[in-house]
Structures are given as C-alpha cells and as structure tokens.
Amino acid sequence: MGIVVAIVNQKGGVGKTTTAINLSACLAELGKRVLLVDCDPQANATSGIGFHRSTARPHLYDALSGLVDVKQAIHATQFPNLFLLPSDMELAGAEVELVQEEGREQAFRNLLAPIKPDFDILILDAPPSLGILTVNCLAAADYLLIPIQCEYYALEGLGNLLSTIRRIRMAFNPALTILGILRTMYDARTNLAHQVSAELQKHFPQWLLKTVIPRTVRLAEAPSHGLPIIHYDGRSIAAEAYRQLAKEVLERLGM
C-alpha cells in the first residue's frame, strides 16, 4: 500500500510546489514508483513537470466529480517511475461544491484509496491556504512535510498550521504524522536565516530535517522549462540538496 505524503504550508511562496516536484523526481530516480497529485487549482506542479495546464486532461477535478475513473486521470511523465494526477482551474469549483457534501473532508482519501497499491509513494501538493482542499490533503495523508522559508513570519505561520493539524487528527485522521520540517530558499548569507533556523532547532528538534534547500537561480529557472532540477541541472547544489532530501525522507519512512 502506497504511503501518502502531503506537502503543506498555508503560506505561499515557501517552495512548497518546488519541493513537491523535485522530491517526487528524486524519489523516482531512486527507483520508487511515485504519483505526484496536484491538489492546487493554480496547477503549478502540473506545468512545472512539463504538462500544459489546459491540455492535461482528464485531471483531478474530473475524477473528483465522477466524470472519469481516477486511474484514467493518471498520466505518465517523461521521467521513469514518475506519474502525475494533474490539476486545473476547474478544481477551484470543488471548494464550493465540497462544502455542500456530507463527508467532504474525506473526498481525497476516498478517491486515492483504489490507487494507493499501485505506487510506493503519493506526494500531494496542497494549495497555499487552509481551505477545504488543504483539509482534504491533511485528512488523506499518512505523513506531512512542511516547507518553511527562514524568514520573520515563518514561526507564526507554523504555529497556526500545527493547531490545524491537531484539529484534523481529532476529527478525521488520528494517524497523521509530521514527517519533517524542511528549510527552503535558504540564504546562508543572512543573519535572519540563521536565527530562524536556530529557533526551529530549539523548538522542533524532532521534526527539523537535516537537509536544507538553498535559494538558487537554477532552481527558480527549472519550472519554466517543465523540468525538475535534477533533469535541468543535475550537478547543481539544489539538485544535490533534493537528492539528499529524498534519501532522508526514505530513511524516516523506513523504506
């Protein structure tokens, strides 16, 4: 049965989608059969892995709304072992539609249940909010990976997210486990980055991952080419960082 890892942070611009794409690619490179599920109506993970947003059909909303079987919405990518369940702006409509449904928080869990045996790991790229789509990601996940940019508001936002996780555990998913906190877009030249990193180490030593993702131009360029960093510039420091992250994630998962 595949393990579901949701990548969640209600704050935008913290490298969440970048991490979803590149962790998925690196896990696939290590021989794991990986499904990247784009749960964000902005569909950045879809385009960032080489699919055109308007032509990647059928997509997650089609499967959620019952137009197609979920297996029909899974697309092979150009990379071995890596598959995509794409998103589309239509998924924004699910925010409204799910609110009116009974058991709305379990929609993703129910949708993914039949395909979990087909993959080793399913990576969910959640929207940058705490709306119903993100709640669905949390309810469907076995583990949670939290990317954090080492800046002033990071710790405050983390506190809000941890409160939400506690509520999700009590209401829908008591087994939800925090896999780790990942420092992203890290600029070692700034005092602030070191200070926030030290605070994370002080308060969350059991969750803070050893891997740190640096802020680099090559990593920022890769999505515009529809490529994970390991296929865009495989020798860059960012590529090596995500390879290290994949190994650390597998170690924590016991795989």
Side-chain angles (χ1 to χ4, degrees):
M1 188 67 73
I3 293 173
V4 180
V5 178
I7 301 182
V8 176
N9 192 321
Q10 77 274 23
K11 191 175 183 303
V14 299
K16 181 179 53 59
T17 297
T18 299
T19 294
I21 292 169
N22 290 294
L23 175 58
S24 297
C26 290
L27 290 169
E29 185 182 52
L30 290 171
K32 300 301 179 185
R33 188 173 168 88
V34 181
L35 176 64
L36 173 59
V37 184
D38 190 348
C39 305
D40 187 349
Q42 295 180 76
N44 289 329
T46 298
S47 62
I49 210 159
F51 286 76
H52 197 281
R53 297 176 199 187
S54 61
T55 58
R57 304 197 73 137
H59 46 61
L60 178 57
Y61 180 74
D62 293 330
L64 264 179
S65 58
L67 294 174
V68 299
D69 183 82
V70 65
K71 293 189 177 184
Q72 293 178 264
I74 294 171
H75 301 253
T77 71
Q78 58 185 305
F79 314 110
N81 300 320
L82 182 55
F83 299 81
L84 174 71
L85 181 48
S87 185
D88 183 86
M89 280 301 296
E90 288 183 42
L91 187 60
E95 290 267 15
V96 178
E97 293 165 15
L98 285 172
V99 167
Q100 303 165 23
E101 291 187 16
E102 189 174 344
R104 55 189 174 271
E105 298 87 1
Q106 305 285 359
F108 283 4
R109 176 190 284 266
N110 296 335
L111 184 74
L112 297 175
I115 59 173
K116 285 175 70 174
D118 299 335
F119 300 94
D120 296 310
I121 300 178
L122 297 84
I123 302 287
L124 311 185
D125 181 33
S129 70
L130 290 178
I132 190 66
L133 295 176
T134 300
V135 168
N136 262 269
C137 289
L138 293 171
D142 301 304
Y143 293 91
L144 184 61
L145 181 62
I146 306 170
I148 283 188
Q149 188 178 352
C150 289
E151 59 171 27
Y152 181 71
Y153 292 111
L155 295 173
E156 182 180 306
L158 180 59
N160 294 336
L161 179 57
L162 293 176
S163 296
T164 300
I165 292 166
R166 282 192 290 270
R167 291 195 294 271
I168 294 293
R169 280 179 179 149
M170 287 188 290
F172 314 113
N173 189 0
L176 179 61
T177 302
I178 295 177
L179 181 64
I181 295 171
L182 175 67
R183 289 162 286 182
T184 59
M185 304 166 74
Y186 192 83
D187 188 345
R189 299 169 299 178
T190 67
N191 289 332
L192 181 60
H194 290 289
Q195 290 166 4
V196 174
S197 185
E199 286 294 307
L200 289 168
Q201 182 64 55
K202 176 182 175 183
H203 294 289
F204 309 106
Q206 76 278 29
W207 293 332
L208 191 63
L209 294 167
K210 296 175 186 174
T211 305
V212 177
I213 308 299
R215 183 191 294 274
T216 74
V217 173
R218 300 297 276 172
L219 186 58
E221 289 173 350
S224 65
H225 297 271
L227 294 170
I229 187 64
I230 60 170
H231 298 289
Y232 180 63
D233 187 352
R235 295 183 178 180
S236 65
I237 59 170
E240 288 308 312
Y242 273 112
R243 286 189 174 107
Q244 185 59 43
L245 174 64
K247 291 174 184 175
E248 189 172 2
V249 163
L250 290 179
E251 186 180 324
R252 289 203 170 204
L253 292 174
M255 298 179 71

